[in-house]
Amino acid sequence: MKTEIGIDLTTAAEHLTKGDLVAIPTETVYGLAANALNEDAVLKIYAAKNRPQFNPLIMHVASFEQARKYIKDIPIEAEQLAAAFWPGPLTMLFNKQEAVPDLVTAGSKRVAIRVPNHTLTLQLLSQLDFPVAAPSANPSGYVSPTTAQHVYEGLHDKIPYILDGGACGVGVESTIVGWNEEGEIELYRLGGIAVEQIEAVIGKKIKHHKKVTDNPNTPGQLKSHYATHTPLYLGKIDELLSTFAGKKIILINFKNHHPDIPKEQQFILSASGSTDEAAKNLFRMLREVDSMNADVILAELLPEEGLGRAVNDRLERAQYSMKGK
């Protein structure tokens, strides 16, 4: 199968309508989209990504009004969050309507849904009479794609069309929240909307559902994910440098260069110390360092504030030491 990259919304819509896959740009990362109501099309997502079918997918729609067709039991807080952050990098978990296939939710009664904040994709979704299921458009477990070229590198010859919307503006996946049986809001994945922003809208603290697992019931809970081919280790750089003395090392630092390593072997996520900028640069830099034939990649944690939490979450799940655990 030849993979084409372009900006033709009509071509993208035609592929999706007939059950094909299309990579779509969002503000977070590129998604691998299929008609969420067509189980045969959804199965193609799992096959193209080599993604386990027990890992649920996020459904994307053009508006909250469209979302209402596929969800029920909507909390007032969800209305508030949708008004504040949709379109945007926030995914919410709702009890699903019967129309949503169990294949999308991995058998869960809840579906993850959001309205992406990307002009091209919103135009595409507005042309469709169905929602799309769209996990990140990359082989399962590898670094998420933030450009059309990243998608092509991982999935060429496996999908017919990549809708090119330029580089993603946020650069890490959406934040995921849901409501438990007691009606309390819980955070399921750190992402492109900071926890502080959500708490400011609903006027209370969020309980963090800190569960990573090999058998997730919501998206974003897989224990080992975002992994580079080159082993990545996370911690205090000075200690890690001592551990890997004599190896070819690449560093990923938050904002400062390390004096003991050549600058060409170091990547700075944000020279200004912006956690937002660090999030935007993370996946691109992980891909770049992974191509440099190093023995190890060493990375440091960011401050646990704003999008720094989301960056730390991705780095922790990319660690070599977590593979197979």
Side-chain angles (χ1 to χ4, degrees), residues 27-244:
E27 77 282 24
T28 58
V29 300
Y30 273 71
L32 184 59
N35 179 347
L37 307 184
N38 179 339
E39 290 190 340
D40 290 336
V42 174
L43 279 171
K44 291 179 183 179
I45 293 176
Y46 289 105
K49 284 177 61 69
N50 193 27
R51 178 186 176 101
Q53 290 183 24
F54 56 74
N55 193 5
L57 305 174
I58 294 176
M59 211 159 70
H60 294 65
V61 292
S63 65
F64 194 22
E65 290 311 305
Q66 186 185 7
R68 291 179 190 274
K69 300 176 185 177
Y70 307 105
I71 59 179
K72 56 187 178 182
D73 309 323
I74 302 170
I76 292 175
E77 288 174 340
E79 304 262 6
Q80 296 170 329
L81 292 174
F85 299 120
W86 277 5
L90 177 69
T91 293
M92 291 190 274
L93 290 164
F94 298 99
N95 290 333
K96 74 180 184 73
Q97 299 279 7
E98 288 297 318
V100 179
D102 287 344
L103 187 62
V104 171
T105 67
S108 171
K109 67 178 182 180
R110 295 198 294 177
V111 62
I113 195 164
R114 84 178 186 101
V115 180
N117 190 16
H118 192 289
T119 303
L120 207 57
T121 291
L122 283 174
Q123 290 174 355
L124 174 64
L125 292 171
S126 296
Q127 292 181 19
L128 304 173
D129 59 2
F130 51 83
V132 301
S136 57
N138 58 290
S140 187
Y142 190 58
V143 182
S144 300
T146 56
T147 67
Q149 183 60 34
H150 290 165
V151 178
Y152 186 84
E153 290 165 3
L155 296 177
H156 65 89
D157 299 334
K158 292 185 177 182
I159 62 175
Y161 200 70
I162 300 170
L163 188 64
D164 189 352
C168 299
V170 175
V172 293
E173 292 87 351
S174 57
T175 303
I176 300 178
V177 298
W179 287 263
N180 62 25
E181 291 181 357
E182 289 72 43
E184 299 170 322
I185 188 170
E186 294 189 350
L187 175 74
Y188 285 86
R189 181 175 73 185
L190 292 156
I193 295 290
V195 175
E196 297 93 331
Q197 294 175 272
I198 297 171
E199 291 174 340
V201 169
I202 61 174
K204 64 182 180 184
K205 293 286 186 182
I206 303 178
K207 178 182 177 182
H208 192 167
H209 186 96
K210 288 189 176 179
K211 182 181 179 184
V212 291
T213 176
D214 291 321
N215 190 21
N217 56 19
T218 64
Q221 292 183 296
L222 269 186
K223 189 182 295 182
S224 181
H225 204 26
Y226 317 108
T228 49
H229 300 305
T230 308
L232 183 148
Y233 295 89
L234 187 61
K236 295 180 180 178
I237 296 296
D238 285 330
E239 294 176 6
L240 291 171
L241 287 175
S242 176
T243 300
F244 294 102

